[in-house]
Amino acid sequence: MTSITPARPSLTSNDAAVLQALFDAESSPSSGITVDASLPSWPAKVNISQADLTTLKQREAEIVRKLQTNETPSRENIKSALDEFDSLLNQYPTYPSAYTNRAQALRLLVDIQYNETPSQNNPHVSEATADDALFSPEAASLSSRILADLGQAITLATPASPADPMSSVQARLLADAHTHRGYLLLKAARVKKDQAGQESGEAVGPERLRGLSANQLEEMASHDFFLGGRYGNKVAQQLAVQTNPYAKMCGAIVKEAMRKEFEG
């Protein structure tokens, strides 16, 4: 006699789509944007004429070239570049690209300071890196400026509506800026976790992040990685999945179910 066993419940098409979006980095982050090559480089709110944009790009390229040497640029070169970015942005405060490049120059300045005095920048971590130094008390002002510049670039370049088409220049900047900020937030979360058991009394990173828990910082990083991936950064797409709290929760549930299945 043939026995009939109850069928296991199957996923609905909606459930399957949700799980696919959670676990497959290629399934959703880069979809949903339209890149139109005929559009101006920046949205209307940037409000810079095409003639001025051409001049700005040349000025910006000249500043960046000073930092792109075969060896690590000197402190003097970095500070000179920062002064030039400051001057450029004082004249054109809505030019998004200069903010991301100034953030990169500030990162270089932190690296220089770390290489000069590594033991002072991170007394609690035996194998510290320059990224750890970014969230030391000594670098709090610089890390605040980096996050502020990335935030301003994102604000200026983000379209009014997620459905609005954008230029390839605009999409590339948003991909890079969100990914850069996501990485810094993720690093801040890891540093905060590392220091959780210490009684140094030193706060981690810039003031705007100090009241946030490591989990909150990681969730913010995940959101930035999602947007970075949505705008086309492949690394951000992978990191968005790895840091997604819902994906991690579902992954834990699946692992537990598989463990019980093997044990049973």
Side-chain angles (χ1 to χ4, degrees):
M1 180 177 180
T2 304
S3 61
I4 300 175
T5 58
R8 294 185 178 183
S10 60
L11 290 174
T12 66
S13 58
N14 183 64
D15 290 338
V18 170
L19 288 174
Q20 176 77 356
L22 285 172
F23 291 105
D24 183 1
E26 298 293 336
S27 64
S28 63
S30 61
S31 64
I33 69 166
T34 302
V35 175
D36 186 343
S38 67
L39 289 175
S41 297
W42 305 113
K45 59 184 172 181
V46 170
N47 195 28
I48 300 176
S49 70
Q50 188 57 49
D52 284 345
L53 277 175
T54 300
T55 302
L56 278 174
K57 288 173 65 175
Q58 292 173 348
R59 284 179 62 185
E60 185 181 24
E62 290 172 1
I63 300 170
V64 170
R65 271 196 294 271
K66 294 179 181 179
L67 303 174
Q68 292 177 332
T69 61
N70 293 330
E71 299 178 355
T72 303
S74 68
R75 177 191 287 266
E76 290 71 24
N77 282 349
I78 296 171
K79 287 192 171 183
S80 175
L82 287 171
D83 287 341
E84 292 185 56
F85 277 128
D86 291 346
S87 176
L88 186 154
L89 286 168
N90 283 335
Q91 291 180 269
Y92 297 93
T94 60
Y95 183 48
S97 181
Y99 285 103
T100 57
N101 280 315
R102 187 168 68 176
Q104 293 284 12
L106 288 166
R107 285 283 302 273
L108 287 174
L109 186 58
V110 174
D111 292 350
I112 289 288
Q113 291 181 348
Y114 168 78
N115 289 328
E116 289 176 349
T117 54
S119 60
Q120 294 177 17
N121 278 312
N122 226 306
H124 303 296
V125 183
S126 58
E127 295 183 0
T129 67
D131 288 330
D132 294 316
L134 187 61
F135 296 99
S136 67
E138 295 86 354
S141 175
L142 290 176
S143 58
S144 290
R145 291 175 62 189
I146 292 169
L147 287 169
D149 275 356
L150 292 173
Q152 185 66 3
I154 289 168
T155 297
L156 290 168
T158 299
S161 166
D164 288 348
M166 65 184 68
S167 70
S168 57
V169 172
Q170 188 180 354
R172 185 166 61 251
L173 179 138
L174 287 170
D176 292 345
H178 276 294
T179 303
H180 189 171
R181 189 171 68 177
Y183 175 78
L184 295 179
L185 291 169
L186 183 60
K187 188 63 186 179
R190 302 288 164 80
V191 171
K192 182 159 285 194
K193 285 180 180 179
D194 289 342
Q195 295 185 350
Q198 298 168 358
E199 299 179 357
S200 64
E202 293 178 339
V204 174
E207 187 174 353
R208 68 178 66 186
L209 303 183
R210 290 176 191 171
L212 301 174
S213 69
N215 286 339
Q216 287 174 314
L217 290 168
E218 193 165 307
E219 288 178 16
M220 291 166 62
S222 179
H223 180 65
D224 263 325
F225 287 139
F226 172 82
L227 291 172
R230 183 173 184 269
Y231 291 117
N233 188 295
K234 299 296 184 182
V235 174
Q237 289 177 13
Q238 299 295 330
L239 289 170
V241 174
Q242 294 173 24
T243 56
N244 186 326
Y246 300 104
K248 290 194 290 187
M249 179 182 67
C250 290
I253 293 172
V254 170
K255 286 180 182 178
E256 178 64 15
M258 291 178 66
R259 183 185 66 80
K260 289 182 178 180
E261 183 76 18
F262 285 128
E263 290 178 353

